[in-house]
mmCIF file of all heavy atoms in Angstrom:
data_model
loop_
_atom_site.group_PDB
_atom_site.id
_atom_site.type_symbol
_atom_site.label_atom_id
_atom_site.label_comp_id
_atom_site.label_asym_id
_atom_site.label_seq_id
_atom_site.Cartn_x
_atom_site.Cartn_y
_atom_site.Cartn_z
ATOM 1 N N SER A 12 -162.243 183.253 -92.644
ATOM 2 C CA SER A 12 -161.783 182.676 -93.901
ATOM 3 C C SER A 12 -161.122 183.733 -94.767
ATOM 4 O O SER A 12 -161.493 184.905 -94.734
ATOM 5 C CB SER A 12 -162.962 182.058 -94.658
ATOM 6 O OG SER A 12 -163.553 181.031 -93.889
ATOM 7 N N THR A 13 -160.126 183.330 -95.534
ATOM 8 C CA THR A 13 -159.413 184.263 -96.404
ATOM 9 C C THR A 13 -159.850 184.178 -97.855
ATOM 10 O O THR A 13 -159.442 185.005 -98.658
ATOM 11 C CB THR A 13 -157.892 184.009 -96.334
ATOM 12 O OG1 THR A 13 -157.636 182.653 -96.714
ATOM 13 C CG2 THR A 13 -157.371 184.247 -94.927
ATOM 14 N N GLY A 14 -160.665 183.206 -98.198
ATOM 15 C CA GLY A 14 -161.121 183.072 -99.571
ATOM 16 C C GLY A 14 -160.143 182.286 -100.431
ATOM 17 O O GLY A 14 -159.111 181.814 -99.965
ATOM 18 N N HIS A 15 -160.464 182.131 -101.700
ATOM 19 C CA HIS A 15 -159.592 181.411 -102.624
ATOM 20 C C HIS A 15 -159.858 181.891 -104.037
ATOM 21 O O HIS A 15 -160.792 182.669 -104.287
ATOM 22 C CB HIS A 15 -159.794 179.900 -102.498
ATOM 23 C CG HIS A 15 -161.197 179.446 -102.783
ATOM 24 N ND1 HIS A 15 -161.683 179.310 -104.051
ATOM 25 C CD2 HIS A 15 -162.208 179.103 -101.947
ATOM 26 C CE1 HIS A 15 -162.950 178.891 -103.999
ATOM 27 N NE2 HIS A 15 -163.291 178.761 -102.739
ATOM 28 N N ALA A 16 -159.037 181.448 -104.966
ATOM 29 C CA ALA A 16 -159.150 181.895 -106.351
ATOM 30 C C ALA A 16 -160.489 181.478 -106.950
ATOM 31 O O ALA A 16 -161.075 180.462 -106.571
ATOM 32 C CB ALA A 16 -158.009 181.316 -107.184
ATOM 33 N N ALA A 17 -160.964 182.276 -107.889
ATOM 34 C CA ALA A 17 -162.259 182.005 -108.500
ATOM 35 C C ALA A 17 -162.234 180.788 -109.409
ATOM 36 O O ALA A 17 -163.286 180.234 -109.736
ATOM 37 C CB ALA A 17 -162.726 183.232 -109.286
ATOM 38 N N ASP A 18 -161.035 180.343 -109.823
ATOM 39 C CA ASP A 18 -160.951 179.195 -110.730
ATOM 40 C C ASP A 18 -160.600 177.894 -110.004
ATOM 41 O O ASP A 18 -160.202 176.920 -110.621
ATOM 42 C CB ASP A 18 -159.942 179.461 -111.851
ATOM 43 C CG ASP A 18 -158.539 179.749 -111.317
ATOM 44 O OD1 ASP A 18 -158.376 179.819 -110.081
ATOM 45 O OD2 ASP A 18 -157.623 179.890 -112.143
ATOM 46 N N THR A 19 -160.725 177.864 -108.676
ATOM 47 C CA THR A 19 -160.510 176.638 -107.909
ATOM 48 C C THR A 19 -161.842 176.165 -107.332
ATOM 49 O O THR A 19 -162.777 176.956 -107.216
ATOM 50 C CB THR A 19 -159.501 176.850 -106.763
ATOM 51 O OG1 THR A 19 -159.981 177.891 -105.902
ATOM 52 C CG2 THR A 19 -158.141 177.257 -107.314
ATOM 53 N N PRO A 20 -161.946 174.879 -106.985
ATOM 54 C CA PRO A 20 -163.228 174.355 -106.507
ATOM 55 C C PRO A 20 -163.730 175.090 -105.266
ATOM 56 O O PRO A 20 -162.959 175.512 -104.410
ATOM 57 C CB PRO A 20 -162.903 172.886 -106.182
ATOM 58 C CG PRO A 20 -161.732 172.563 -107.033
ATOM 59 C CD PRO A 20 -160.931 173.840 -107.105
ATOM 60 N N LEU A 21 -165.028 175.238 -105.183
ATOM 61 C CA LEU A 21 -165.664 175.880 -104.037
ATOM 62 C C LEU A 21 -165.551 174.986 -102.811
ATOM 63 O O LEU A 21 -165.566 173.761 -102.916
ATOM 64 C CB LEU A 21 -167.145 176.138 -104.353
ATOM 65 C CG LEU A 21 -167.939 176.986 -103.357
ATOM 66 C CD1 LEU A 21 -167.413 178.409 -103.367
ATOM 67 C CD2 LEU A 21 -169.410 176.968 -103.744
ATOM 68 N N GLY A 22 -165.413 175.594 -101.635
ATOM 69 C CA GLY A 22 -165.357 174.834 -100.396
ATOM 70 C C GLY A 22 -166.689 174.166 -100.094
ATOM 71 O O GLY A 22 -167.687 174.373 -100.795
ATOM 72 N N THR A 23 -166.711 173.371 -99.059
ATOM 73 C CA THR A 23 -167.920 172.642 -98.680
ATOM 74 C C THR A 23 -169.093 173.583 -98.468
ATOM 75 O O THR A 23 -168.973 174.600 -97.787
ATOM 76 C CB THR A 23 -167.671 171.847 -97.379
ATOM 77 O OG1 THR A 23 -166.571 170.967 -97.595
ATOM 78 C CG2 THR A 23 -168.901 171.047 -96.992
ATOM 79 N N VAL A 24 -170.230 173.269 -99.061
ATOM 80 C CA VAL A 24 -171.443 174.056 -98.882
ATOM 81 C C VAL A 24 -172.085 173.643 -97.561
ATOM 82 O O VAL A 24 -172.334 172.463 -97.320
ATOM 83 C CB VAL A 24 -172.420 173.834 -100.051
ATOM 84 C CG1 VAL A 24 -173.708 174.597 -99.813
ATOM 85 C CG2 VAL A 24 -171.787 174.260 -101.350
ATOM 86 N N THR A 25 -172.334 174.624 -96.712
ATOM 87 C CA THR A 25 -172.880 174.317 -95.395
ATOM 88 C C THR A 25 -174.399 174.318 -95.403
ATOM 89 O O THR A 25 -175.035 174.806 -96.338
ATOM 90 C CB THR A 25 -172.391 175.350 -94.361
ATOM 91 O OG1 THR A 25 -172.907 176.633 -94.728
ATOM 92 C CG2 THR A 25 -170.876 175.414 -94.340
ATOM 93 N N ALA A 26 -174.975 173.805 -94.311
ATOM 94 C CA ALA A 26 -176.429 173.756 -94.206
ATOM 95 C C ALA A 26 -177.024 175.155 -94.163
ATOM 96 O O ALA A 26 -178.146 175.388 -94.596
ATOM 97 C CB ALA A 26 -176.820 172.975 -92.949
ATOM 98 N N GLY A 27 -176.234 176.129 -93.619
ATOM 99 C CA GLY A 27 -176.725 177.505 -93.565
ATOM 100 C C GLY A 27 -176.934 178.089 -94.944
ATOM 101 O O GLY A 27 -177.797 178.929 -95.146
ATOM 102 N N GLY A 28 -176.081 177.646 -95.873
ATOM 103 C CA GLY A 28 -176.279 177.969 -97.278
ATOM 104 C C GLY A 28 -176.037 179.415 -97.650
ATOM 105 O O GLY A 28 -174.911 179.827 -97.864
ATOM 106 N N GLN A 29 -177.085 180.224 -97.700
ATOM 107 C CA GLN A 29 -177.044 181.539 -98.317
ATOM 108 C C GLN A 29 -175.979 182.456 -97.716
ATOM 109 O O GLN A 29 -175.822 182.565 -96.516
ATOM 110 C CB GLN A 29 -178.411 182.210 -98.179
ATOM 111 C CG GLN A 29 -179.547 181.454 -98.843
ATOM 112 C CD GLN A 29 -179.407 181.426 -100.353
ATOM 113 O OE1 GLN A 29 -178.692 182.224 -100.935
ATOM 114 N NE2 GLN A 29 -180.100 180.500 -100.991
ATOM 115 N N GLY A 30 -175.252 183.129 -98.591
ATOM 116 C CA GLY A 30 -174.342 184.175 -98.167
ATOM 117 C C GLY A 30 -172.990 183.737 -97.675
ATOM 118 O O GLY A 30 -172.178 184.566 -97.295
ATOM 119 N N LYS A 31 -172.714 182.429 -97.629
ATOM 120 C CA LYS A 31 -171.426 181.975 -97.102
ATOM 121 C C LYS A 31 -170.303 182.080 -98.117
ATOM 122 O O LYS A 31 -169.149 182.211 -97.746
ATOM 123 C CB LYS A 31 -171.544 180.532 -96.590
ATOM 124 C CG LYS A 31 -172.473 180.368 -95.399
ATOM 125 C CD LYS A 31 -171.976 181.153 -94.185
ATOM 126 C CE LYS A 31 -172.843 180.897 -92.963
ATOM 127 N NZ LYS A 31 -172.404 181.662 -91.791
ATOM 128 N N SER A 32 -170.600 181.982 -99.385
ATOM 129 C CA SER A 32 -169.583 182.102 -100.431
ATOM 130 C C SER A 32 -170.043 183.145 -101.436
ATOM 131 O O SER A 32 -171.177 183.098 -101.907
ATOM 132 C CB SER A 32 -169.359 180.762 -101.135
ATOM 133 O OG SER A 32 -168.845 179.804 -100.238
ATOM 134 N N GLN A 33 -169.154 184.094 -101.739
ATOM 135 C CA GLN A 33 -169.524 185.157 -102.661
ATOM 136 C C GLN A 33 -168.377 185.445 -103.623
ATOM 137 O O GLN A 33 -167.209 185.353 -103.250
ATOM 138 C CB GLN A 33 -169.845 186.447 -101.889
ATOM 139 C CG GLN A 33 -171.093 186.346 -101.027
ATOM 140 C CD GLN A 33 -171.316 187.610 -100.228
ATOM 141 O OE1 GLN A 33 -170.385 188.173 -99.672
ATOM 142 N NE2 GLN A 33 -172.549 188.049 -100.164
ATOM 143 N N LEU A 34 -168.736 185.795 -104.851
ATOM 144 C CA LEU A 34 -167.762 186.230 -105.835
ATOM 145 C C LEU A 34 -167.438 187.693 -105.576
ATOM 146 O O LEU A 34 -168.338 188.517 -105.424
ATOM 147 C CB LEU A 34 -168.313 186.054 -107.250
ATOM 148 C CG LEU A 34 -167.429 186.560 -108.389
ATOM 149 C CD1 LEU A 34 -166.131 185.774 -108.449
ATOM 150 C CD2 LEU A 34 -168.184 186.464 -109.709
ATOM 151 N N VAL A 35 -166.152 188.022 -105.494
ATOM 152 C CA VAL A 35 -165.723 189.395 -105.228
ATOM 153 C C VAL A 35 -164.875 189.884 -106.389
ATOM 154 O O VAL A 35 -163.925 189.221 -106.798
ATOM 155 C CB VAL A 35 -164.914 189.472 -103.911
ATOM 156 C CG1 VAL A 35 -164.419 190.898 -103.669
ATOM 157 C CG2 VAL A 35 -165.770 188.997 -102.738
#
Side-chain angles (χ1 to χ4, degrees):
S12 299
T13 58
H15 59 79
D18 59 356
T19 58
L21 189 67
T23 302
V24 177
T25 64
Q29 299 293 341
K31 295 298 185 181
S32 296
Q33 293 177 317
L34 176 64
V35 178

